[in-house]
Amino acid sequence: MLKEKKGASKVKEGKASGSKREISFSKRKTKRIASFLVFGIMFVSLLFNVIHFSKVQTIRNTVQASYDEIEQQVKGAGRHSLLETPLLIHYSTDFIREYFEIPADEEERNARKDRLKHYFVSGFDVNSLEDMSEFIGSRSVQSIDLMDIRSTDTDEVQVQYLVTYQVIEQLEEEKEVVTTEVDKDGEEKEVTQTVLEEIEKSTDYQVEVIIPVVTDGEGFAVTRHLTLLSSDIKSVIQYEPLALKGEDLTSQQQEALSPFLRDFLTSFGQSDEKLAFMASVDRGLLDKVYEDHSIVESVRQNGVYSIRLHVNYREEQTSLTSRYFYEIHMKEENGRFFVESIH
């Protein structure tokens, strides 16, 4: 009886010890799974943050690029609009005058170069503009006429001018001078000598130049050397003016208008006191003497006479007579004519 009890006791102990090992294994497994879950959640969270940050940064970069593009477009539009303002003409005209004006004095020439530096882009060598080592004289501008402003594919515009200038040079010219000398015998004789005489030579020039100009939105600068060219802007054009509207006047009707036209054109050339009674014009010409006229075209419509004619006027103080073209519109009231307009 005692042995059986001991065996039973061992069995119970064995079961108890086996149960403890199973519980211990279950706790370790649970801890491991929990650790995996925690690290997994952390990894997923980190990965999500990385993806989110990457997307946000991409959006920021895209937005910033759009802002930069818009800003560049706005700046570009501002620069382009500045190149279309009268400021460009003022700047380029000043530059042309400074460029073509060359003083005779050496110090003034150096001061001119210093002033020209401020017109060109940074780093431009103004000493390469011209060689004045052999030039004794001066150059002065007579007139500056704007011809054209052309835009390019870049932010540069090309401003074209017609410049008239005068060059005055100090030259030496050989000249024979005859003098009278007394020889050793006391007799006078003529001696011819060749001497150098300083003379001033003046020459007028007219050139077309192109100035390449850029802007940063605040000011202007010339980008390189000027371009010298010659443009042919004359053309052979066939031109027929539009005919006056109305019924053509007969030669007899034209002849009936001639006395009034002579009186009117005479007063118009002098702007005398009679003009106000013959026409509704503010004023006529001055010092022009009427010679004669010839009608080119004349019509009548709704009581209004429209006349195109050539008029020969002579300068009052000279014998020069020139031909001019006019178009006159006038009415007839109570047998009297009255000019409504002349141009």
Side-chain angles (χ1 to χ4, degrees):
M1 293 297 289
L2 291 173
K3 290 181 179 179
E4 289 177 1
K5 288 181 180 180
K6 288 180 179 180
S9 174
K10 288 180 179 180
V11 172
K12 290 180 179 181
E13 288 177 359
K15 288 181 178 180
S17 62
S19 176
K20 286 180 180 181
R21 283 196 300 272
E22 289 177 2
I23 293 171
S24 177
F25 174 77
S26 177
K27 287 181 179 180
R28 287 198 300 271
K29 187 175 181 180
T30 300
K31 287 180 180 180
R32 190 179 298 115
I33 293 172
S35 298
F36 285 149
L37 288 174
V38 170
F39 282 112
I41 292 171
M42 291 175 62
F43 176 76
V44 171
S45 177
L46 180 63
L47 180 62
F48 174 78
N49 287 335
V50 170
I51 294 173
H52 177 71
F53 176 79
S54 177
K55 287 184 176 180
V56 170
Q57 190 63 35
T58 301
I59 294 172
R60 285 178 178 174
N61 292 339
T62 302
V63 172
Q64 186 63 43
S66 299
Y67 279 136
D68 292 342
E69 183 178 357
I70 293 172
E71 185 176 2
Q72 290 299 322
Q73 290 177 354
V74 170
K75 288 182 178 179
R79 289 195 297 269
H80 184 71
S81 61
L82 188 62
L83 290 170
E84 295 177 348
T85 64
L87 291 174
L88 172 65
I89 300 175
H90 177 74
Y91 169 86
S92 54
T93 303
D94 280 352
F95 167 75
I96 280 290
R97 189 171 299 280
E98 195 71 67
Y99 176 86
F100 277 94
E101 294 276 355
I102 298 178
D105 182 73
E106 188 65 27
E107 290 187 4
E108 292 180 3
R109 289 184 179 184
N110 292 330
R112 166 184 172 266
K113 284 186 178 181
D114 292 336
R115 292 192 298 269
L116 283 174
K117 288 179 182 178
H118 299 289
Y119 285 95
F120 285 93
V121 292
S122 299
F124 185 87
D125 182 16
V126 295
N127 292 316
S128 65
L129 290 174
E130 62 259 320
D131 181 7
M132 294 185 289
S133 58
E134 302 295 331
F135 176 59
I136 302 175
S138 62
R139 186 171 71 183
S140 59
V141 174
Q142 305 299 306
S143 64
I144 303 173
D145 297 307
L146 177 66
M147 294 184 67
D148 192 18
I149 299 178
R150 293 189 292 272
S151 299
T152 63
D153 294 336
T154 62
D155 290 332
E156 180 184 283
V157 293
Q158 296 181 349
V159 190
Q160 183 174 348
Y161 282 98
L162 178 66
V163 184
T164 303
Y165 62 93
Q166 184 181 70
V167 175
I168 297 177
E169 292 182 278
Q170 303 296 330
L171 304 175
E172 290 185 341
E173 186 180 65
E174 290 186 352
K175 184 179 180 180
E176 291 186 349
V177 178
V178 179
T179 60
T180 302
E181 296 182 359
V182 179
D183 60 16
K184 60 182 180 179
D185 297 328
E187 295 182 358
E188 294 183 352
K189 64 176 183 179
E190 292 183 349
V191 178
T192 302
Q193 294 180 332
T194 302
V195 297
L196 293 177
E197 182 181 16
E198 290 189 356
I199 62 170
E200 188 175 272
K201 180 183 177 182
S202 176
T203 310
D204 293 330
Y205 296 92
Q206 190 174 70
V207 296
E208 294 176 34
V209 291
I210 288 182
I211 312 169
V213 181
V214 293
T215 181
D216 60 358
E218 297 180 359
F220 304 97
V222 179
T223 61
R224 58 182 183 275
H225 292 84
L226 275 62
T227 301
L228 195 67
L229 73 163
S230 178
S231 301
D232 185 9
I233 57 176
K234 294 181 282 294
S235 181
V236 178
I237 300 175
Q238 300 293 330
Y239 174 73
E240 287 292 337
L242 293 176
L244 294 172
K245 294 181 179 180
E247 182 182 353
D248 292 337
L249 298 182
T250 65
S251 58
Q252 290 80 8
Q253 290 173 322
Q254 289 184 7
E255 187 64 29
L257 297 176
S258 291
F260 172 79
L261 289 174
R262 283 195 296 268
D263 292 343
F264 166 71
L265 294 170
T266 299
S267 294
F268 184 74
Q270 299 290 319
S271 292
D272 60 21
E273 66 281 357
K274 298 178 183 178
L275 184 61
F277 298 99
M278 292 187 287
S280 59
V281 295
D282 295 333
R283 58 175 299 175
L285 308 176
L286 292 175
D287 305 325
K288 299 294 185 291
V289 179
Y290 167 80
E291 294 285 336
D292 55 41
H293 72 272
S294 59
I295 295 177
V296 178
E297 187 179 0
S298 60
V299 299
R300 181 179 179 179
Q301 185 179 47
N302 300 325
V304 177
Y305 293 87
S306 299
I307 304 166
R308 288 173 176 167
L309 69 166
H310 288 130
V311 182
N312 289 327
Y313 277 119
R314 176 172 54 83
E315 301 289 341
E316 192 169 59
Q317 304 301 324
T318 69
S319 58
L320 177 62
T321 299
S322 300
R323 173 169 290 192
Y324 302 96
F325 175 86
Y326 288 101
E327 184 172 316
I328 297 175
H329 299 275
M330 60 187 190
K331 281 187 174 182
E332 182 181 7
E333 295 181 1
N334 301 322
R336 296 173 60 97
F337 295 105
F338 189 83
V339 174
E340 294 184 322
S341 66
I342 177 173
H343 55 272

